[in-house]
Amino acid sequence: HGDTKGTAPALVLVAEHDVLRGEGEKYAQKLRADGVDVTEHMVAGQMHGFFTFPNVLPGAAEGLDLFVAAVDKVVS
């Protein structure tokens, strides 16, 4: 858990039914505490790895839309 100050703006997506959800939430808290611009979003009904199954899991489209919006915010 090193220093995250100066890290680029971050999007932290966590899945509702992910055994690692707590770690993702703690990471977002750490970034926020270090002054990093963080958008955190929990995708309901999804499991670990949901984001890698576009057109299969309904949450993947939601995650992809959030990712694209976050990247667009940074580069625009």
Side-chain angles (χ1 to χ4, degrees), residues 28-74:
Q29 290 171 357
K30 167 81 171 130
L31 290 169
R32 207 172 283 112
D34 284 348
V36 177
D37 179 17
V38 178
T39 300
E40 181 180 359
H41 187 83
M42 190 274 301
V43 183
Q46 298 306 297
M47 73 217 182
H48 185 83
F50 76 97
F51 189 76
T52 62
F53 292 97
N55 301 319
V56 175
L57 295 176
E62 179 182 352
L64 185 58
D65 288 345
L66 289 164
F67 172 77
V68 169
V71 170
D72 188 52
K73 180 180 170 184
V74 172

Side-chain angles (χ1 to χ4, degrees), residues 13-25:
L13 290 176
V14 295
E16 180 180 18
H17 303 296
D18 188 346
V19 296
L20 300 175
R21 177 179 165 187
E23 283 81 351
E25 292 168 339

